[in-house]
Amino acid sequence: MPEQHEDKRPFGERIAAEIRKLIMDGDLEPGAPLPSTERLCAQYGTTNVTIQRATRILKDEGLLVGRNGVGIFVREEGAQAITPAHSLAPSEPGQPYRWLTAATENQQRGKYRMLTVTEVKPPKQVRLALGLDEDGTAILRSRVGYLDDKPAELVHSYYPVELARGTRLEDPRLIPGGSPRLLDDLGFPTRSQDDVLGARPATTDEYLHLELPRDVPVIEVFRIVYSDDQKPIEVTLLAKPAHRFKMAYSIGCP
């Protein structure tokens, strides 16, 4: 039989992982006090020093907050579920991008900051999704999305050059109503999207733009957006901080 796999992480990291899951799942509710150090020591069979290491990790991640003379508490905001379908349909003429509208409905302040707009040779998976040849190029629009002034997502969107040329997709400014609105106006209505989700350690670019603490992983979304006749009109690579967000899907029965 194969040798049994062991968790060789320091015990403080393992305890932090257990408490982190309770916070992300809502079993430790936002604003709730963390059980006492004495209770945690008894629960995990360890020392004060190890519990303090675990809580320090979670404080650095912003999941726990210490209050002098009072105790340690779970952060006030729970893990937020993001529904990708909210940004699929174009916004109504003259209205903000649906991602921003969803933020407002959630009583949050949403905004985007553009990083770059340029013509590039895209990564292989993007090239294949757009049906480009090996030397093909695409228009890249990179930006950071914020909720209540905290980085919420790093977005790299690629568009076929023949579709984007001479349009606001080449403009370094934000697009009023977002790209779904513009694509619809250009005669390429969004009909469907395919998402592939994963989780992995952050790249340096993601670590910096998302202002990640320690080794927090990111949720990675690889998205292909289709118009009529399953024509791919956009491919987006999106990264979100995994300690703050979850992805939510609602799937009907066929």
Side-chain angles (χ1 to χ4, degrees):
M1 293 181 62
E3 186 176 329
Q4 186 175 4
H5 189 62
E6 296 182 23
D7 189 345
K8 296 182 179 180
R9 293 174 295 175
F11 198 27
E13 292 184 15
R14 284 184 271 163
I15 294 172
E18 296 291 336
I19 298 174
R20 185 186 297 111
K21 184 177 187 304
L22 293 174
I23 295 172
M24 294 295 290
D25 290 348
D27 292 308
L28 282 174
E29 297 182 355
L34 189 70
S36 68
T37 299
E38 181 180 7
R39 181 176 171 184
L40 290 173
C41 285
Q43 178 179 346
Y44 292 105
T46 190
T47 64
N48 286 3
V49 172
T50 301
I51 294 300
Q52 288 170 5
R53 287 173 181 164
T55 56
R56 170 50 58 191
I57 290 171
L58 298 174
K59 284 180 180 179
D60 288 346
E61 294 178 11
L63 295 175
L64 294 177
V65 179
R67 299 177 187 169
N68 289 335
V70 181
I72 301 175
F73 295 80
V74 178
R75 66 181 178 187
E76 293 292 340
E77 314 89 29
Q80 184 172 348
I82 299 296
T83 304
H86 282 170
S87 58
L88 177 61
S91 58
E92 295 298 323
Q95 295 300 307
Y97 178 41
R98 286 186 181 273
W99 188 85
L100 300 176
T101 301
T104 301
E105 292 172 351
N106 201 43
Q107 299 183 328
Q108 294 174 299
R109 299 184 311 276
K111 67 178 181 181
Y112 276 108
R113 176 172 64 91
M114 294 302 302
L115 299 176
T116 186
V117 177
T118 186
E119 184 172 341
V120 299
K121 183 177 179 180
K124 181 179 179 180
Q125 60 177 347
V126 175
R127 174 173 59 82
L128 294 175
L130 289 176
L132 304 176
D133 60 36
E134 193 167 346
D135 295 320
T137 60
I139 299 299
L140 167 64
R141 296 181 61 85
S142 296
R143 58 205 182 275
V144 180
Y146 296 83
L147 292 174
D148 292 336
D149 297 322
K150 296 179 182 178
E153 58 184 25
L154 176 62
V155 187
H156 302 297
S157 296
Y158 297 83
Y159 302 90
V161 171
E162 68 275 9
L163 185 157
R165 185 73 75 206
T167 75
R168 292 201 68 151
L169 291 172
E170 289 188 305
D171 194 315
R173 296 171 295 177
L174 293 169
I175 298 172
S179 59
R181 175 73 268 160
L182 176 61
L183 290 166
D184 190 76
D185 291 341
L186 292 173
F188 298 98
T190 300
R191 299 303 187 195
S192 63
Q193 70 183 45
D194 289 338
D195 286 1
V196 177
L197 273 67
R200 55 169 174 75
T203 64
T204 297
D205 189 48
E206 292 161 346
Y207 184 88
L208 295 175
H209 284 301
L210 295 175
E211 300 175 13
L212 298 175
R214 291 181 176 267
D215 295 327
V216 169
V218 294
I219 300 170
E220 177 187 56
V221 182
F222 179 77
R223 174 172 300 156
I224 308 174
V225 179
Y226 300 95
S227 188
D228 295 324
D229 301 320
Q230 282 294 100
K231 177 181 175 61
I233 55 175
E234 175 185 297
V235 175
T236 289
L237 307 180
L238 182 150
K240 300 184 74 68
H243 69 310
R244 293 176 50 209
F245 296 97
K246 297 181 177 182
M247 306 300 286
Y249 291 86
S250 179
I251 302 174
C253 295

